[in-house]
Amino acid sequence: MRFLHTSDWHVGRSLHGTDLLAEQEAVLSRLADVVRAERVDVVLVAGDVYDRAVPSADATGVLDRVLSRLRAAGATVVLTPGNHDSARRLGFAAGLLAVSGVHVRATTASLDEPVLLADEHGEVAVYGLPFLEPEVARHELGADLARSHQAVLSAAMDKVRADLYFRPGARSVVLAHAFVGGGLPSESERDIAVGGVDLVSPSVFDGVDYVALGHLHRPQTLSPRLRYSGSPLPYSFGEAGQTKQVWLVDLDATGLAEVRAVPLPVPRQLSVLSGTLAELLDDPAHEDVVEHFVSARLTDPVRPTDAMRRLQSRFPHCVHLEWSGAPTGSDERSYTERLRGRDPLSVAGEFVGHVRGGVGPTPAERELLGRALAVADREEAAR
């Protein structure tokens, strides 16, 4: 039996306020092509299907179309909620969806009830563990557990292994959304720590043939049977240059047979540029990234005026800007220290010059500023 391991779709996510739904639908729809080309039997989505607990209507529309394409390509789908999802909302109409071949495993109470599949070698049990919030899950699991992800996932896996005990010869797959020891995080994951206790030992998942992990956005292998697929798109500029992928997982008669990576296309690359505004606007070396999502770090000694608009005239998808420049040998004293003992009128004049790009106040404006400061002084003295 062949599985396609994916996770962290985050449908509805934006990049610095820029909508990514079109890019997400383009990449996720390509999964149907992989299903056909590689004759995939089952698609696994290990949590964070949506980016927020209450997704937009447009986001639910994208998910509906993507799942329909996967089913039309011939794959059964098993998905679980992550820490970004609302388990109750994602699990709505789970019974009806199961009839169509889309199995949503969203409740703690049913985590030991597998999706049962079969091939020429016999039965395969697929267990979907929803994201387990320790403070809630420890009561739902019916045990007096510590308030940690390690404790609740250990209890959940004990229930899975207990069910497997009564299925002799069955091969097994588990979906879980967690931060497992040895994994490397990226900038774009939301912290799932409760009291700082979020790390889970890989040994928690002993006893199953393959564990499809979600939560970390970087694809990685913790052991041959314990892997993160990562997110299908880069969701922060810290992920620029990462190769996004899914895992093809084959089970044979004895268990895990082979796992291999299938790279995914990136509809719009991410690039981080650094330099003065003039360099970024004029340097022909940046021509290859004009259509990328761009994060610009400006090194001008003075903050340029209207920098984002000017950058977007060349890089229409520039979505992030920071200014890191400062004059060489600049004064490192605090703002209060730099103003101490100075004439308020000269400070106000310098401020006007700064916001005007170096053009100071006219004589008439200086007279107006002086009168305003004098009024402020009188009001301060009267208090």
Side-chain angles (χ1 to χ4, degrees):
M1 186 172 293
R2 176 164 288 178
F3 296 83
L4 187 67
H5 168 194
T6 77
S7 72
D8 296 275
W9 290 4
H10 288 279
V11 178
R13 186 148 188 163
S14 61
L15 180 68
H16 292 281
T18 298
D19 184 270
L20 295 177
L21 277 174
E23 287 80 5
Q24 289 177 322
E25 184 163 5
V27 172
L28 295 175
S29 295
R30 287 292 297 274
L31 297 180
D33 298 333
V34 177
V35 167
R36 292 189 185 91
E38 300 289 350
R39 299 186 178 183
V40 172
D41 300 296
V42 187
V43 174
L44 309 173
V45 190
D48 283 352
V49 180
Y50 290 117
D51 189 57
R52 61 189 64 183
V54 185
S56 68
D58 288 338
T60 59
V62 168
L63 182 63
D64 179 40
R65 291 190 292 275
V66 169
L67 292 178
S68 297
R69 290 175 186 129
L70 292 174
R71 287 295 296 130
T76 297
V77 181
V78 182
L79 58 85
T80 57
N83 57 298
H84 280 246
D85 298 303
S86 164
R88 293 185 67 180
R89 286 188 174 88
L90 192 65
F92 172 73
L96 290 174
L97 287 170
V99 174
S100 72
V102 176
H103 301 271
V104 183
R105 287 298 191 258
T107 66
T108 305
S110 62
L111 59 79
D112 59 347
E113 299 172 13
V115 177
L116 295 175
L117 307 166
D119 62 10
E120 66 271 23
H121 304 300
E123 190 174 70
V124 177
V126 181
Y127 298 88
L129 309 186
F131 172 70
L132 299 173
E133 175 62 53
E135 189 56 43
V136 176
R138 69 192 190 97
H139 300 296
E140 293 177 333
L141 289 166
D144 186 15
L145 301 171
R147 294 175 173 86
S148 72
H149 289 273
Q150 173 85 16
V152 295
L153 271 171
S154 294
M157 284 303 301
D158 285 344
K159 293 171 71 70
V160 167
R161 284 185 285 263
D163 183 77
L164 271 175
Y165 179 79
F166 294 102
R167 302 181 189 279
R171 293 152 293 159
S172 55
V173 172
V174 167
L175 290 78
H177 198 82
F179 189 176
V180 179
L184 298 175
S186 300
E187 294 179 357
S188 55
E189 297 111 6
R190 179 181 297 168
D191 188 10
I192 61 174
V194 176
V197 185
D198 62 339
L199 201 63
V200 176
S201 169
S203 63
V204 164
F205 299 100
D206 287 351
V208 296
D209 293 301
Y210 185 76
V211 182
L213 293 172
H215 178 57
L216 300 185
H217 292 180
R218 184 194 310 267
Q220 50 202 294
T221 301
L222 306 186
S223 75
R225 65 177 192 89
L226 193 67
R227 300 171 187 254
Y228 285 99
S229 64
S231 59
L233 283 170
Y235 289 128
S236 73
F237 282 97
E239 298 170 59
Q242 281 187 19
T243 298
K244 295 300 184 178
Q245 62 163 69
V246 291
W247 293 111
L248 276 179
V249 181
D250 287 330
L251 300 184
D252 61 13
T254 60
L256 184 62
E258 182 183 13
V259 183
R260 60 187 174 92
V262 176
L264 293 176
V266 179
R268 196 178 302 283
Q269 299 282 347
L270 274 65
S271 293
V272 180
L273 304 180
S274 181
T276 66
L277 179 60
E279 289 169 348
L280 298 191
L281 293 177
D282 299 333
D283 191 341
H286 300 315
E287 193 61 30
D288 290 344
V289 305
V290 162
E291 293 301 323
H292 291 193
F293 284 123
V294 168
S295 172
R297 183 183 184 189
L298 298 182
T299 60
D300 301 77
V302 176
R303 187 190 298 270
T305 302
D306 204 13
M308 178 61 90
R309 183 191 62 78
R310 293 164 68 187
L311 282 167
Q312 288 177 339
S313 68
R314 184 180 189 191
F315 307 101
H317 305 286
C318 181
V319 297
H320 178 247
L321 171 64
E322 61 178 283
W323 175 65
S324 61
T328 304
S330 60
D331 194 338
E332 296 183 356
R333 293 176 298 165
S334 71
Y335 183 68
T336 300
E337 290 172 336
R338 294 200 304 272
L339 293 185
R340 185 175 291 121
R342 294 193 57 194
D343 172 29
L345 183 57
S346 67
V347 173
E350 285 183 7
F351 174 76
V352 172
H354 172 73
V355 297
R356 285 180 172 175
V359 180
T362 65
E365 289 169 337
R366 286 185 65 85
E367 182 181 352
L368 184 61
L369 285 170
R371 290 203 301 268
L373 290 169
V375 171
D377 286 342
R378 287 196 296 271
E379 291 179 349
E380 181 69 23
R383 289 177 185 175

